[in-house]
Amino acid sequence: MMALAGFAGLLTLALPIAVALALTAALLIWQRGDVILFDSLAQQYVTGLESYGLLALPLFILLGEAMNAGGAGRRLVALAAGLVGPVRGGLAHVSLVANVMLAAILGSTVAQLTVMIRMAVPQMVRAGYPRADAVAITAAGAMLAPVIPPSMLFILYGVIAQVPIGDLFTAGLIPGALMGLAFFLLIARRARRADWPVGTADRDLPLRQALPALAIPVFVVCSIAFGLATPTEAGGLAALLALALGLWVFRDMRLADLPGIFTRAALGAAGVLFLVASAQLLAWILAYAGIPAQVAALLAGASDSPVLFLLLLNLLLLGIGMVMDPIPALLLTVPVILPLATDQFGLDPIHMGLVICMNLSLGLLTPPVGAGLFAAASLSGEPAGRIAVRVLPYLAAAFAVLIGVSLWPVLI
């Protein structure tokens, strides 16, 4: 309890989550009197990163930077506009289509939220959309990131659970399609009621010029789905493809831009991996203290029914996802939950991966304390409460898909 209070106190001081996790681990060691564990902290930091699967993270971060600097991201938005056509609320549909395309590249809710709010919201506001609606649609689309492959959370889950990452990617296709379809229907209904403007294509960027950008998500998904490359290899090759397109096809990038791109990608990857290492360190301390076993016993004693267990687990994970970033939450919860789910309730680890990753991502935008809501508010300048009201219908649709995935594993 003292460690939990200490972690909450460190977060109120606006410390980075990675630092707060590391200090909480040290506090827990000191509280228990296991000071000999301090001798192993450096080794555990390194051990937490010794996984080939984690190499995919910096490569996909590099891919995102290359897409942004090379003009592929802007062309995907133009391509989406051409696909949607002149329909009521067309730019809102374009934002969602672009979110789906970027979800196949970035794989991170926070990363996608950051990119799309900067790229799509200003265009929607200039076209006459209310800013709160524009931000809510963009935030809702970002919920697709952990479901549509290649998902950063799926990569981490596969590393922790020791299950094939390609199987997780395949399992996310139908739930991702269902969420996307539900969001399209909600946007169409809202567009008619609010009389949103009719969409138009970008005349300055013909559709044929945008098509090469589509090669990037197609290459990533197909190379993994058909077993031609591992997620790590696909991320590296796709990053090279994005750089080549930016340099020699789109010509939005120069060779002089490469050091800046690699530096930003390295800094972003360092932050994520520092977070992963700190969370792994705290998970090691918690396991040493026997806390996961206590939590598992509490959940196991609540019910003998796998269905009731999954429903209770959804509530628990949503609560965790509201107050924690998905990556450390995933690293802390999977070692506790997965053995219980597979050994006692006979649940499939791939099925559990979908349930856990979807819950943690949806928690980011769940009122009243969803961290993603405040990130969207900070990036857009719109009050978080106003965004929360607009995003609730999309959350309800995503929750419906989540419950369906929980109760009917055939959906994956």
Side-chain angles (χ1 to χ4, degrees):
M1 185 62 68
M2 181 179 175
L4 180 61
F7 179 63
L10 292 170
L11 290 181
T12 60
L13 296 175
L15 285 176
I17 294 180
V19 176
L21 288 170
L23 292 177
T24 301
L27 178 62
L28 188 58
I29 292 174
W30 176 78
Q31 178 193 354
R32 290 179 50 82
D34 299 322
V35 292
I36 194 172
L37 296 181
F38 283 118
D39 297 335
S40 302
L41 290 187
Q43 179 183 353
Q44 288 300 320
Y45 251 109
V46 175
T47 302
L49 298 177
E50 287 182 340
S51 172
Y52 174 74
L54 286 178
L55 185 59
L57 295 181
L59 292 174
F60 277 108
I61 291 172
L62 174 61
L63 173 59
E65 290 289 342
M67 290 276 296
N68 187 40
R74 182 170 64 90
R75 284 167 172 79
L76 283 178
V77 173
L79 178 60
L83 293 173
V84 170
V87 300
R88 179 68 59 187
L91 198 52
H93 289 286
V94 166
S95 175
L96 186 58
V97 173
N99 261 309
V100 171
M101 293 177 177
L102 285 177
I105 299 169
L106 298 177
S108 164
T109 300
V110 177
Q112 191 164 333
L113 192 64
T114 302
V115 171
M116 285 302 297
I117 283 182
R118 289 173 177 168
M119 184 167 59
V121 170
Q123 297 182 40
M124 295 177 70
V125 172
R126 284 195 298 269
Y129 289 79
R131 179 176 289 273
D133 282 316
V135 177
I137 291 167
T138 304
M143 287 190 285
L144 296 168
V147 186
I148 295 178
S151 163
M152 191 177 295
L153 288 185
F154 283 171
I155 294 172
L156 280 175
Y157 177 85
V159 171
I160 300 168
Q162 296 297 300
V163 296
I165 297 173
D167 289 354
L168 289 167
F169 286 176
T170 305
L173 291 175
I174 293 178
L178 291 175
M179 285 177 62
L181 178 61
F183 291 170
F184 275 119
L185 295 176
L186 287 171
I187 289 174
R189 180 184 177 190
R190 176 70 174 160
R192 290 195 302 270
R193 289 188 172 186
D195 196 27
W196 285 347
V198 175
T200 57
D202 186 352
R203 297 181 183 274
D204 296 329
L205 191 60
L207 188 62
R208 56 184 174 79
Q209 293 186 17
L211 282 175
L214 189 61
I216 299 173
V218 169
F219 169 78
V220 171
V221 174
C222 291
S223 63
I224 295 173
F226 292 106
L228 302 176
T230 66
T232 302
E233 294 164 348
L237 292 173
L240 290 176
L241 176 59
L243 291 171
L245 288 174
L247 286 169
W248 297 301
V249 179
F250 302 142
R251 298 186 182 276
D252 287 0
M253 184 194 305
R254 299 173 302 166
L255 289 174
D257 297 327
L258 293 181
I261 293 171
F262 287 120
T263 299
R264 290 192 298 273
L267 291 174
V272 172
L273 293 175
F274 180 33
L275 185 62
V276 169
S278 297
Q280 292 277 41
L281 177 66
L282 181 57
W284 172 66
I285 300 298
L286 291 174
Y288 186 87
I291 294 175
Q294 298 172 24
V295 175
L298 192 63
L299 281 174
S303 172
D304 294 331
S305 167
V307 174
L308 184 55
F309 167 77
L310 280 171
L311 294 177
L312 291 174
L313 183 61
N314 282 335
L315 294 176
L316 174 65
L317 291 172
L318 281 173
I320 294 172
M322 282 193 288
V323 298
M324 286 189 70
D325 187 88
I327 292 177
L330 188 75
L331 293 164
L332 292 174
T333 55
V334 170
V336 178
I337 293 169
L338 189 62
L340 176 65
T342 55
D343 297 342
Q344 181 164 333
F345 293 98
L347 297 172
D348 182 73
I350 302 294
H351 180 208
M352 289 303 303
L354 264 292
V355 171
I356 292 172
C357 292
M358 289 179 68
N359 267 296
L360 294 178
S361 180
L362 299 188
L364 275 176
L365 295 172
T366 303
V369 291
L373 283 177
F374 295 97
S378 175
L379 289 166
S380 65
E382 193 72 13
R386 193 175 300 170
I387 298 172
V389 172
R390 303 297 200 284
V391 85
L392 280 177
Y394 304 99
L395 274 172
F399 288 150
V401 175
L402 172 59
I403 295 300
V405 169
S406 300
L407 299 181
W408 297 291
V410 68
L411 290 177
I412 67 169

